[in-house]
């Protein structure tokens, strides 16, 4: 066993230099895959600990069986048994030496190797922020894609390869996290789901009384006094001495009595009841509703007349020498703003190289704070990103050249290639890529002007969700591995095109990798000349 313990310590010592103590695991599926390997290592270590305990018990069992037979024989004729001098010697030896060795074996802690492994690996575990972030992601997916709690709990999602389900305890935890955020709408949904699964007979450590306590308060906070009273009564049936429930019931009865004495008109009472029983979700701005509809594929459809203006073609980059004999496939995704997609524009080998270069550097994606002008993390951007320079790899340099050839824009003033991997429910809510007039210092430190255009590679297929949507115009662009989309953020005049406001929808199922190149104004003076009209 000592040898096994030493071997595991050495093995972990060899593995650790290649590990990284990442934070914000929930913001990148790519980094979460490392946790799968960590858990697998722990399972192997745990199984070896179990084998060691079983081996120890087997030794103790054999000793007990041998002595059981011996003592049975000895106790039947003690004097005759000890009359044999060898038996007398062995009795002295057993009690003086061997029972002490057995005591040492029984007291021996076989868990040292496993506990050491746990201690070492724990520094690479997710924390409370990761668990909360993953829980909020499930709630976000539920809202965006109109998923009911039962569907999500049973794991009935489109395109899943490995179906999984939520236990009543899992549902209870989701409800508690929503509760700590004062999100009583989702608290009610998930506490009710936990209660439903327990009522259906699921065996769980979740306690109905705890669930009803959270649920009744969440319902009360949303104004449904009648339902809150009903749930509190059910709680008191389970635990008549529940102090908070008894206090709440008295309060509910007092409020109901006051309302009854108010002698309101029947119309007013009906209106009040409607307000009390209505399940209130957050009030979303019109843009939010459009954004979520587009993510679900429910956006505005183009008229046939507009669709006729969209074409697919072989594109040679305006007679670029590299593409005259081997043009690329290009298709129109939208007319205004003009969004084009390039097909088979990045190979699988290039994608893997970019991912391998980026993965060790992935960190929580940031946004420009318009007040400070500095980069900061934001709840509305859930992903990790890394930046790659052309001089680092011939693959990145080749990609940069390809973008320049096909757009006709100078990439020497562009930002580095940004690689992003989205996490659980990963998203980037509606935003502009260019700096607006109220953000004059957005890219001042770069000294290359505003972001004139965006080039976006899709480096993975996504089973469900993950579209790039443009709420202002109703466009949805769906991820397709090996393709790229391109659009101008600025008019030729240099004015921002506000119709390019876009968003990355939450990833419902799958793993989304993208990379993008933001091209800037400087260097484009003769490549894309200005016009006299502001909006041209």
């Amino acid at each position: 066993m000592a040898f096994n313990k030493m071997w595991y310590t050495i093995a972990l010592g060899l593995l650790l230099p290649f590990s990284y103590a990442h934070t914000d695991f929930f913001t990148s599926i790519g980094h979460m895959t490392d946790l799968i390997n960590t858990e697998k290592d722990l399972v192997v270590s745990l199984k070896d600990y179990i084998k060691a305990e079983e081996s120890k018990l087997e030794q103790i069992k054999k000793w007990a069986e041998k002595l059981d037979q011996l003592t049975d024989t000895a106790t039947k004729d003690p004097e005759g048994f000890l009359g044999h001098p060898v038996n007398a010697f062995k009795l002295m030896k057993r009690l003086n030496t061997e029972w002490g060795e057995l005591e040492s074996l029984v007291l021996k802690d076989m868990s040292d190797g496993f506990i050491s492994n746990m201690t070492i690996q724990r520094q690479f575990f997710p924390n409370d922020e990761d668990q909360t972030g993953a829980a909020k992601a499930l709630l976000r997916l539920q809202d965006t894609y109109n998923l009911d709690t039962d569907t999500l709990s049973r794991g009935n999602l489109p395109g899943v390869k490995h179906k999984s389900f939520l236990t009543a305890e899992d549902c209870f935890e989701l409800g508690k996290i929503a509760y700590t955020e004062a999100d009583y709408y989702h608290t009610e949904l998930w506490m009710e789901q936990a209660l439903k699964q327990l009522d259906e007979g699921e065996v769980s450590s979740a306690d109905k009384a705890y669930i009803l306590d959270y649920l009744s308060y969440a319902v009360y906070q949303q104004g449904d006094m009648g339902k809150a009273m009903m749930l509190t009564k059910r709680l008191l049936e389970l635990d008549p001495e529940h102090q908070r429930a008894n206090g709440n019931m008295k309060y509910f009865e007092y409020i109901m009595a006051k309302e009854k004495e108010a002698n309101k008109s029947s119309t007013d009472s009906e209106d009040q009841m409607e307000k009390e029983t209505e399940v209130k979700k957050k009030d979303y701005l019109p843009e939010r509703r459009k954004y979520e509809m587009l993510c679900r594929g429910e956006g505005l459809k183009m008229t046939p007349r507009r669709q006729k203006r969209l074409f697919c073609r072989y594109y040679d980059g305006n007679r670029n020498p590299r593409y005259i004999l081997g043009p690329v496939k290009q298709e129109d995704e939208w007319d205004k703003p003009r969004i084009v997609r390039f097909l088979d524009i990045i190979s699988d080998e290039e994608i893997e190289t970019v991912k391998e270069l980026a993965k060790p550097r992935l960190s929580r994606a940031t946004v420009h704070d318009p007040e400070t002008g500095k980069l900061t993390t934001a709840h509305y951007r859930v992903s990790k990103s890394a930046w790659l320079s052309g001089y680092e790899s011939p693959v990145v340099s080749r990609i940069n050249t390809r973008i320049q050839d096909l757009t006709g824009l100078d990439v020497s003033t562009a930002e580095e290639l940004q690689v992003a991997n989205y996490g659980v429910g990963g998203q980037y809510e509606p935003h502009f890529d260019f700096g607006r007039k109220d953000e004059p210092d957005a890219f001042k430190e770069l000294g290359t002007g505003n972001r004139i255009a965006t080039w976006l590679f899709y480096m993975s297929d996504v089973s469900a969700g993950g579209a790039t949507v443009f709420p202002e115009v109703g466009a949805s662009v769906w991820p397709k591995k090996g393709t790229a989309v391109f659009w101008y953020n600025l008019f030729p005049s240099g004015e921002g095109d506000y119709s390019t406001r876009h968003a990355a929808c939450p990833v419902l199922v799958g793993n989304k990798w993208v990379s993008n190149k933001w091209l800037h104004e400087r260097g484009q003076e003769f490549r894309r000349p200005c016009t006299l009209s502001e909006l041209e």
Side-chain angles (χ1 to χ4, degrees), residues 365-427:
T366 56
V367 297
H368 275 279
D369 187 327
E371 294 183 2
T372 64
K374 295 181 180 179
L375 293 174
T376 181
T377 59
H379 70 277
Y380 55 82
R381 189 178 189 185
V382 183
S383 64
K384 284 188 174 180
S385 63
W387 300 85
L388 303 180
S389 298
Y391 64 81
E392 297 181 60
S393 164
V395 171
V396 178
S397 178
R398 188 165 64 243
I399 287 171
N400 288 341
T401 301
R402 190 176 306 153
I403 294 171
Q404 177 165 301
D405 290 342
L406 294 173
T407 62
L409 298 175
D410 187 353
V411 297
S412 66
T413 59
E415 295 173 50
E416 294 178 342
L417 186 71
Q418 181 182 221
V419 183
N421 179 227
Y422 290 80
V424 185
Q427 63 162 6

Side-chain angles (χ1 to χ4, degrees), residues 141-142 145 147 152 157-158 160 425-426 462-466 505-510:
L141 291 172
Q142 182 179 16
Y145 296 104
L147 302 173
L152 204 49
L157 302 177
V160 293
V462 180
S463 301
C505 295
V507 177
L508 180 56
V509 178

Side-chain angles (χ1 to χ4, degrees), residues 509-523:
V509 178
N511 187 7
K512 183 181 177 183
W513 284 88
V514 299
S515 58
N516 68 278
K517 194 80 171 172
W518 281 309
L519 299 110
H520 283 249
E521 291 177 293
R522 298 295 177 266

Side-chain angles (χ1 to χ4, degrees), residues 94-355:
R94 281 197 305 275
L95 290 174
N96 183 54
T97 305
E98 294 179 10
W99 273 99
E101 291 174 353
L102 179 65
E103 181 184 21
S104 297
L105 178 61
V106 170
L107 292 174
K108 186 175 182 181
D109 188 354
M110 313 303 287
S111 68
D112 286 352
F114 174 68
I115 296 301
S116 296
N117 290 349
M118 277 288 293
T119 302
I120 293 168
Q121 296 279 25
R122 186 175 285 112
Q123 61 186 311
F124 306 108
F125 280 12
N127 55 24
D128 289 343
E129 183 184 354
D130 288 301
Q131 184 174 335
T132 300
K136 288 180 178 179
L138 285 178
L139 304 183
R140 183 165 60 247
L141 291 172
Q142 182 179 16
D143 287 347
T144 304
Y145 296 104
N146 275 347
L147 302 173
D148 61 76
T149 49
D150 196 60
T151 296
L152 204 49
S153 175
R154 299 184 189 280
N156 295 326
L157 302 177
V160 293
K161 292 181 180 178
H162 309 283
K163 189 173 179 180
S164 186
F165 62 91
L166 295 171
T167 64
E169 187 178 3
D170 294 332
C171 296
F172 178 53
E173 287 299 320
L174 282 171
K176 282 203 300 183
I177 288 172
Y179 179 86
T180 59
E181 298 290 317
D183 179 359
Y184 301 116
Y185 168 71
H186 286 110
T187 303
E188 178 184 2
L189 291 180
W190 286 102
M191 291 299 176
E192 282 186 337
Q193 182 64 28
L195 199 60
K196 175 187 174 185
Q197 291 180 203
L198 290 178
D199 289 343
E200 290 174 350
E202 181 181 316
V203 178
S204 173
S205 59
D207 187 280
K208 282 187 178 181
Y210 280 128
I211 295 171
L212 285 165
D213 193 13
Y214 279 100
L215 181 55
S216 60
Y217 185 77
V219 169
Y220 161 71
Q221 284 291 335
Q222 294 179 91
D224 193 342
M225 189 77 71
K227 186 175 179 180
M229 282 189 69
M230 180 270 290
L231 292 167
T232 305
K233 286 178 182 177
R234 185 176 174 187
L235 170 55
L236 289 171
E237 289 173 3
L238 294 174
D239 183 4
E241 304 302 317
H242 197 287
Q243 186 174 356
R244 184 164 47 250
N246 279 301
N248 288 345
M249 182 58 72
K250 290 178 181 178
Y251 174 73
F252 294 154
E253 289 172 346
Y254 169 75
I255 293 297
M256 296 289 276
K258 280 189 69 176
E259 287 183 355
K260 192 173 181 180
E261 291 171 3
N263 294 323
K264 294 181 179 179
S265 67
S266 59
T267 304
D268 288 344
S269 297
E270 287 173 7
D271 291 343
Q272 180 65 24
M273 287 299 293
E274 281 183 17
K275 289 179 182 178
E276 289 177 352
T277 56
E278 179 186 1
V279 176
K280 296 181 181 178
K281 194 176 176 180
K282 291 179 181 177
D283 290 330
Y284 290 130
L285 295 171
E287 180 184 64
R288 180 75 189 190
R289 288 198 294 270
K290 286 191 286 186
Y291 159 61
E292 292 184 345
M293 288 178 66
L294 288 168
C295 290
R296 295 192 294 269
E298 300 171 3
L300 298 172
K301 303 300 179 185
M302 266 193 179
T303 62
R305 184 177 179 181
R306 286 180 67 188
Q307 285 179 339
K308 288 180 181 179
R309 299 174 187 165
L310 304 182
F311 296 94
C312 57
R313 64 191 67 82
Y314 282 101
Y315 183 68
D316 62 9
N318 291 324
R319 304 290 293 172
N320 186 287
R322 289 190 179 91
Y323 295 100
I324 291 176
L325 295 179
V328 297
K329 289 178 280 186
Q330 185 193 73
E331 62 184 24
D332 296 328
E333 286 281 349
W334 205 258
D335 54 354
K336 290 184 179 181
R338 186 166 186 250
I339 306 168
V340 295
R341 187 195 294 262
F342 294 88
L343 285 74
D344 303 320
I345 201 63
I346 184 171
S347 68
D348 289 349
E349 292 76 16
E350 289 173 325
I351 287 172
E352 289 308 311
T353 299
V354 169
K355 287 166 63 175

